Each structure stands twice: as structure tokens, then as C-alpha cells.
């Protein structure tokens, strides 16, 4: 009987244990001794470096007298290998880790080298990576809603779902069918839909990217990017090119990633549930015909709310794509720019900061880091606190905001 994802997060790397430590050790070395026996030395010219660590290591690979396989930190190293070993069953595909989410995305586009990329709104950093790709390779950008006939063999549909900063979702299966009907590739940025909430491969994704800095890390203390794919040739090519791009994770970050994945299931489901409850409360107040302090406050401050849980007409496919929750990020549109700018500083439990995915709740006046969004937008990343406390904090903030407006 196969193990569930939540159990794999704890035990997928058990075969890598070579000491009695319960908590895995942190390996800080950047270089590793070659085998002592000259018979075990294989010149690099005779070795297919693309095949190194393409499988999940087993206890057989780790016998005390087996030839060492770790050479240098730009190639696989013990701690990054452990992280990738845990990630693989969670992502439902072999994977590679990178120094950041954008480093992973850059590596994907360097390898795939598409002639055209179909992409919509979303994370401005992804558009920045594609601007570089366009400068270097002449890659042409197409709108996400372009006709399928505009796509050709090897082109990429870049689908971010749920979307940054609104938390709204797209139908992965629909875009997979569109891409594959013309020989194109579906790349899904699933950062806002981490394992436990969404499996893009189930719906036809060819390659999946995560900014592991967010939910995979979950503690706002590490940078990480991940690419996963079930295409063995792609994985081998990406691994080889990572050697020369040099965008590998550091040892400390890899160790922090291992620590974080142990609690991934607990964190993201709690965060997603908290977000949905806050969204439902705000949406109810905004659309209520009744009176009351909460209703009046919300209607005075909030113009609209965006979140996948509010996509009611999409629920037939959305409940299948995200059966365990609709993600921990949503957007609040304030009535006025000055309200959006002032509200974060009036909150106690929501830190005013960029990024997302940590156990602590964050709110960001999005204009601070993304010049492409409306100046009334606040991005909310919900943590694992009690949602009633978060609700009360928002209420206090709304009250204080109106007092300041009236003063």
C-alpha cells in the first residue's frame, strides 16, 4: 500500500539516513572526496553527468563502502538531494531545486527555448524573466487567451494558477488541451497551489514550477525554486544545464527546506481554510442588505474581494482541481488608494511586507513591489493564526482607518 503525501513528507528520505540522527544533518561542504579505490574512479568524459541522481536513492546506494556520488555543490549534494527526494512524491514527479523561484523559471525557459510564450497577468517577476528571454532569443509574447491556432510546436503556455496577486484560479485541463492540440507545452506556475491543494500533472501540465520560498518553505527564511516534470529527457537536460547556470540552492537553504516540508500539509490546509473563512466573511458583509457595524465598515472600506472561492460559476471544475482548499492568498480592493496605502500600518497581526506563504499573515499594499497593479489593491497572505483573531484585527484596522479619514 502506497503512503499518503503527508506521510511521504516525513519518510520519503528515510533511505538516505546513514547516521542515528533523527533530525537530518546539515552538510556544509562544497566539495567531496573522490573514491579511495582507483578502480572506482570514472573520468568525467566517460560518465553521463545527466544521469546523476535521476532516481530516488535507495539504501543500496548508501552502503558504507559504495563509491561516493557527490562531487561538487553545483552538482547534486547530500542536502539538496534529500530535499528533492522528499519533494518528488509530493509533486508527483521528479524535480530539481534552484536558488529561487525566478532562477527555476529562467532555467525552464533556457532549456525549452520556445519561439512563442502565451502568458497573461500574474507575477511581474515572471514577465521580467521573459523580457530577458525575449532580449536574448527573440521570444515572442502572445496573450494567454490567444487562439490555439497561434501556437506552434514547442511554444509554451505559461499558466499561473492561482494567480498573483488575486488568488483566482484557471482551468488547467482547458489550457493543457489547448497547448497539446498544437504541439505546445503547458508550464504551470503552481506557487499559490502547493502540494495538498493542487496537482497540475493530474490535469495535463508538462512542467510545473514553484517558488519554494513561499509555501514549500513556509517560514519566510529561505529562497528556493523548483521545477518538476515526468519527462526524463527534460529532467536530464535541466540537470545538466543547472550545472552551468550555477543557480543551485545553498546547503543551509536546502536543510531549511527539508525541515519545512515536514509540516507542509498541516500548514497549507490551515492557511487555505483561514483565507476562505475571511473571504466568506468579507464577501457576506459586502453583499449583505442588512445593517450592523461589521457590514457598514466593510462596505465603507472594501470595493471588492478576489479569491478562487468566489468563482462560483467555475466550481464544477475548480472543486476537482483544488479539492482541499482554494489557496491562502486573496486580494482586497479598497475604495480609494489612500485607504489601501494606510490600512496595513493599522493592523497588528498582519505584517506589512511583500512575499507570502509563511506561517504569519502578511498584507501588502501591492504598489510597493509591483508597478503593474491597480493602486487600490491589497494582497493578503493568510497564516496559521486563529482566523477569528485575524478577522478582529481587520475590523480594528477598518475602524481606525475611518477615524483617520474623518480626522
Amino acid at each position: 500500500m502506497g503512503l499518503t503525501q503527508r506521510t511521504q513528507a516525513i519518510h520519503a528520505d528515510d533511505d538516505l539516513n546513514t547516521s542515528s540522527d533523527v533530525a537530518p544533518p546539515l552538510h556544509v561542504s562544497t566539495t567531496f572526496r573522490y573514491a579511495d579505490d582507483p578502480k572506482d574512479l570514472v573520468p568525467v568524459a566517460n560518465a553521463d553527468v545527466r544521469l546523476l541522481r535521476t532516481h530516488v536513492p535507495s539504501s543500496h546506494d548508501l552502503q558504507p563502502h559504495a563509491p561516493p556520488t557527490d562531487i561538487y555543490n553545483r552538482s547534486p549534494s547530500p542536502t539538496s538531494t534529500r530535499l528533492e527526494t522528499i519533494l518528488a512524491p509530493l509533486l508527483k514527479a521528479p524535480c530539481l531545486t534552484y536558488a529561487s523561484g525566478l532562477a527555476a523559471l529562467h532555467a525552464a525557459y533556457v532549456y525549452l527555448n520556445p519561439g512563442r510564450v502565451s502568458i497573461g497577468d500574474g507575477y511581474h517577476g515572471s514577465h521580467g524573466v521573459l523580457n530577458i528571454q525575449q532580449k536574448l532569443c527573440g521570444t515572442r509574447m502572445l496573450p494567454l487567451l490567444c487562439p490555439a491556432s497561434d501556437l506552434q510546436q514547442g511554444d509554451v503556455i505559461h499558466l499561473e494558477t492561482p494567480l498573483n496577486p488575486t488568488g483566482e484560479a484557471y482551468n488547467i485541463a482547458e489550457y493543457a488541451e489547448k497547448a497539446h492540440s498544437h504541439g505546445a507545452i503547458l508550464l504551470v506556475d503552481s506557487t499559490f497551489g502547493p502540494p495538498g491543494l493542487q496537482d497540475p500533472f493530474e490535469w495535463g501540465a508538462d512542467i510545473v514550477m514553484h517558488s519554494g520560498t513561499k509555501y514549500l518553505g513556509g517560514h519566510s527564511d529561505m529562497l528556493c525554486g523548483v521545477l518538476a516534470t515526468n519527462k526524463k529527457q527534460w529532467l536530464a537536460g535541466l540537470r545538466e544545464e543547472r550545472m552551468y547556470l550555477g543557480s543551485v540552492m545553498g546547503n543551509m537553504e536546502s536543510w531549511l527546506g527539508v525541515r519545512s516540508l515536514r509540516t507542509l500539509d498541516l500548514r497549507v490546509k490551515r492557511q487555505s481554510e483561514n483565507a476562505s473563512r475571511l473571504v466568506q466573511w468579507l464577501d457576506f458583509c459586502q453583499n449583505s442588505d442588512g445593517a450592523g457595524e461589521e457590514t457598514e465598515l466593510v462596505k465603507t472600506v472594501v470595493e471588492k474581494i478576489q479569491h478562487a472561492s468566489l468563482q462560483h460559476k467555475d466550481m464544477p471544475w475548480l472543486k476537482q482541481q483544488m479539492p482541499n482548499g482554494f489557496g491562502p492568498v486573496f486580494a482586497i480592493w479598497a475604495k480609494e488608494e489612500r485607504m489601501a496605502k494606510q490600512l496595513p500600518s493599522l493592523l497588528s497581526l498582519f505584517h506589512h511586507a511583500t512575499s507570502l506563504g509563511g506561517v504569519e499573515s502578511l498584507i501588502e499594499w501591492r504598489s510597493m513591489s509591483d508597478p503593474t497593479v491597480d493602486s487600490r489593491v491589497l494582497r493578503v497572505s493568510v497564516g496559521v493564526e486563529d482566523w477569528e483573531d485575524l478577522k478582529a484585527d481587520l475590523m480594528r484596522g477598518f475602524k481606525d482607518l475611518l477615524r483617520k479619514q474623518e480626522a
Side-chain angles (χ1 to χ4, degrees), residues 143-162:
L144 185 62
L145 298 179
C146 71
S149 57
D150 286 356
L151 300 170
Q152 299 179 23
Q153 186 77 26
D155 289 348
V156 169
I157 292 181
H158 180 119
L159 185 66
E160 184 180 316
T161 185

Side-chain angles (χ1 to χ4, degrees), residues 220-274:
S220 303
D221 59 6
M222 56 172 277
L223 291 176
C224 169
V226 181
L227 292 177
T229 181
N230 283 301
K231 298 181 183 294
K232 292 182 179 180
Q233 184 177 357
W234 289 11
L235 190 74
L238 287 164
R239 177 178 285 104
E240 184 173 14
E241 290 186 356
R242 185 180 64 173
M243 287 269 294
Y244 305 109
L245 291 173
S247 51
V248 295
M249 285 186 72
N251 292 319
M252 184 65 184
E253 288 77 11
S254 297
W255 185 87
L256 289 170
V258 169
R259 168 219 59 184
S260 297
L261 290 180
R262 306 305 196 196
T263 60
L264 176 66
D265 185 81
L266 298 172
R267 288 186 285 106
V268 299
K269 289 181 180 176
R270 173 67 173 268
Q271 290 169 288
S272 185
E273 180 184 4
N274 280 351

Side-chain angles (χ1 to χ4, degrees), residues 369-407:
S369 62
D370 186 348
T372 68
V373 301
D374 191 285
S375 61
R376 295 169 294 163
V377 172
L378 292 157
R379 186 180 68 184
V380 183
S381 169
V382 182
V384 300
E385 303 96 337
D386 188 292
W387 86 275
E388 292 277 7
D389 292 333
L390 298 175
K391 171 185 170 183
D393 193 37
L394 286 172
M395 282 293 296
R396 284 191 297 270
F398 291 160
K399 288 179 183 178
D400 290 344
L401 178 62
L402 295 182
R403 290 194 194 101
K404 288 178 70 73
Q405 300 288 320
E406 294 166 358

Side-chain angles (χ1 to χ4, degrees), residues 25-288:
L26 166 62
H27 297 268
V28 298
S29 183
T30 59
T31 190
F32 304 88
R33 285 185 291 270
Y34 292 121
D36 293 329
D37 190 338
K39 291 186 297 184
D40 292 326
L41 298 176
V42 180
V44 67
N46 298 341
D48 189 347
V49 295
R50 295 173 300 170
L51 299 181
L52 290 175
R53 296 290 199 198
T54 58
H55 64 294
V56 175
S58 67
S59 56
H60 175 74
D61 300 311
L62 299 161
Q63 296 302 315
H65 303 294
T69 55
D70 297 306
I71 298 172
Y72 186 63
N73 241 32
R74 271 193 291 108
S75 59
S77 61
T79 313
S80 64
T81 294
R82 184 180 289 271
L83 177 59
E84 291 168 1
T85 299
I86 302 169
L87 278 168
L90 304 184
L91 298 173
K92 306 291 184 66
C95 64
L96 295 171
T97 52
Y98 292 84
S100 70
L102 290 183
L105 188 64
H106 176 242
Y109 279 115
V110 167
Y111 179 74
L112 296 172
N113 194 20
R116 283 155 293 275
V117 175
S118 171
I119 185 171
D121 294 334
Y123 180 42
H124 65 284
S126 299
H127 289 269
V129 167
L130 284 168
N131 288 341
I132 295 172
Q133 186 76 7
Q134 190 172 36
K135 180 179 74 171
L136 296 176
C137 306
T139 309
R140 181 183 167 197
M141 299 299 129
L142 301 173
L144 185 62
L145 298 179
C146 71
S149 57
D150 286 356
L151 300 170
Q152 299 179 23
Q153 186 77 26
D155 289 348
V156 169
I157 292 181
H158 180 119
L159 185 66
E160 184 180 316
T161 185
L163 190 67
N164 187 359
T166 66
E168 294 173 311
Y170 287 103
N171 188 335
I172 297 173
E174 178 182 308
Y175 284 91
E177 182 179 356
K178 177 181 176 180
H180 299 155
S181 69
H182 284 71
I185 296 161
L186 179 62
L187 183 155
V188 174
D189 180 345
S190 193
T191 298
F192 281 35
L197 298 184
Q198 179 172 271
D199 175 15
F201 290 115
E202 182 179 357
W203 307 104
D206 297 299
I207 185 167
V208 174
M209 173 261 177
H210 284 268
S211 174
T213 306
K214 306 334 191 260
Y215 293 101
L216 302 183
H219 293 79
S220 303
D221 59 6
M222 56 172 277
L223 291 176
C224 169
V226 181
L227 292 177
T229 181
N230 283 301
K231 298 181 183 294
K232 292 182 179 180
Q233 184 177 357
W234 289 11
L235 190 74
L238 287 164
R239 177 178 285 104
E240 184 173 14
E241 290 186 356
R242 185 180 64 173
M243 287 269 294
Y244 305 109
L245 291 173
S247 51
V248 295
M249 285 186 72
N251 292 319
M252 184 65 184
E253 288 77 11
S254 297
W255 185 87
L256 289 170
V258 169
R259 168 219 59 184
S260 297
L261 290 180
R262 306 305 196 196
T263 60
L264 176 66
D265 185 81
L266 298 172
R267 288 186 285 106
V268 299
K269 289 181 180 176
R270 173 67 173 268
Q271 290 169 288
S272 185
E273 180 184 4
N274 280 351
S276 290
R277 287 183 170 182
L278 288 171
V279 167
Q280 289 166 12
W281 163 63
L282 290 168
D283 184 62
F284 174 81
C285 291
Q286 191 182 33
N287 294 289
S288 174

